[in-house]
Amino acid sequence: MTLLLVAIIVLLQLIDGWSTFQVYRAHRGFERNPVMVYLLDSLGLYWGLMAGKGIAVVLIVGAYNLGLFASTLGSVVLFALAFFYAIVIANNLRIL
C-alpha cells in the first residue's frame, strides 16, 4: 500500500508540474510556494519546475527507501500529500 501511495504521489508531482507549466504559459496564475517561486525566478519556468519537482520526487522516494512511511502515521502523511496535490492540480486545471 505504501509503495502504491508513493507511486501516486510521484505521478501527481508530474501532473502538477505539467499543469503549473500550462498555467504559467497562459499567464493565468502565480506560484504560492516560496521555494518554487525562488526556483522559478532563479532558473526560469522550465528548469525551475524540473528542479522543484525533481527535488520533491527524490525526497519522497528517499524517505520511502529509508522506511519513514512504514508506520500508520507514514501512511496518513502519504494520503495527506496525495490529497493536497490533487487539490493543487484541480486548482491549476480550473484556472486553465
Side-chain angles (χ1 to χ4, degrees), residues 26-68:
H27 303 287
R28 292 188 173 176
F30 59 94
E31 181 61 57
R32 293 182 183 180
N33 177 341
V35 174
M36 286 303 298
V37 170
Y38 174 79
L39 290 171
L40 293 170
D41 288 346
S42 300
L43 303 173
L45 178 58
Y46 179 79
W47 290 111
L49 283 171
M50 293 291 282
K53 296 303 164 187
I55 291 167
V57 167
V58 166
L59 289 174
I60 294 289
V61 172
Y64 171 78
N65 286 332
L66 290 172
L68 299 179

Side-chain angles (χ1 to χ4, degrees), residues 70-84:
S71 67
T72 302
L73 177 60
S75 294
V76 170
V77 168
L78 289 173
F79 273 114
L81 280 171
F83 183 73
F84 171 77

